[in-house]
Amino acid sequence: MTVQYGQGGSLQLQNSLGRFQPVALQPAQAVIVMMTFTAPDFGQPADVQVLDGGAIGSIVPTPRPVPSIIPTPPPVDPCTVIECNLDPSKLIDTSQTIPVSLTGQLLFSFRPGDGPGMHRVSVTVGGNQYILEFWQQDPAAPNNNPGFLHAY
């Protein structure tokens, strides 16, 4: 999974039994999440649910011309394929069914809810559930913030 945040920064996160590494965010910060699935899940619906407050928004890739011969496709950078709108005010949904693309990518944006602490997102595809954890930092009590990877 890749978490992309402002000014071209991104984090590659590891999955262990359906749970991804926790990521620290600033208050009200929005990020783009890109999950990559294997062939059996291509085109399948993904049930994306916000569990602890926050909001999500689906992202539909913008079509772009594909060269006629490509030996190996380059890695997909969501912000070169889509219009990256990280405006937190535009994220209002807490649950969506978003299709996994025919190339195996699931793209959505996420913003944590009000208040510091853990904000989880559940993604279910083909009977498998994945848990994404985002820790919203507390600027008023920096000693209370765990040492997670930072997406800022």
Side-chain angles (χ1 to χ4, degrees), residues 108-123:
F108 62 93
S109 49
F110 171 74
R111 173 187 45 83
D114 294 334
M118 190 62 74
H119 298 267
R120 296 171 301 152
V121 176
S122 167
V123 176

Side-chain angles (χ1 to χ4, degrees), residues 85-102:
N85 186 349
L86 293 179
D87 180 355
S89 67
K90 301 214 187 273
L91 303 179
I92 56 171
D93 293 329
T94 58
S95 171
Q96 284 191 11
T97 299
I98 304 170
V100 174
S101 75
L102 295 178

Side-chain angles (χ1 to χ4, degrees), residues 6-60:
Q7 297 162 5
S10 66
L11 295 171
Q12 300 292 321
L13 303 178
Q14 300 300 313
N15 172 7
S16 176
L17 301 174
R19 286 194 172 273
F20 287 90
Q21 294 169 276
V23 176
L25 302 176
Q26 293 292 338
Q29 177 186 357
V31 294
I32 292 176
V33 175
M34 183 176 78
M35 299 177 73
T36 304
F37 293 91
T38 58
D41 293 323
F42 289 11
Q44 295 297 314
D47 180 31
V48 182
Q49 304 269 333
V50 174
L51 302 178
D52 304 305
I56 57 172
S58 62
I59 297 174
V60 179

Side-chain angles (χ1 to χ4, degrees), residues 58-150:
S58 62
I59 297 174
V60 179
T62 304
R64 65 179 175 170
V66 177
S68 59
I69 299 175
I70 300 179
T72 304
V76 176
D77 176 359
C79 282
T80 61
V81 180
I82 57 170
E83 179 182 335
C84 288
N85 186 349
L86 293 179
D87 180 355
S89 67
K90 301 214 187 273
L91 303 179
I92 56 171
D93 293 329
T94 58
S95 171
Q96 284 191 11
T97 299
I98 304 170
V100 174
S101 75
L102 295 178
T103 58
Q105 274 88 32
L106 174 66
L107 293 166
F108 62 93
S109 49
F110 171 74
R111 173 187 45 83
D114 294 334
M118 190 62 74
H119 298 267
R120 296 171 301 152
V121 176
S122 167
V123 176
T124 305
V125 178
N128 294 313
Q129 183 182 38
Y130 304 92
I131 301 294
L132 291 59
E133 297 177 314
F134 297 93
W135 179 271
Q136 182 168 284
Q137 300 284 63
D138 184 355
N143 291 335
N144 293 338
N145 296 322
F148 297 139
L149 294 172
H150 290 216

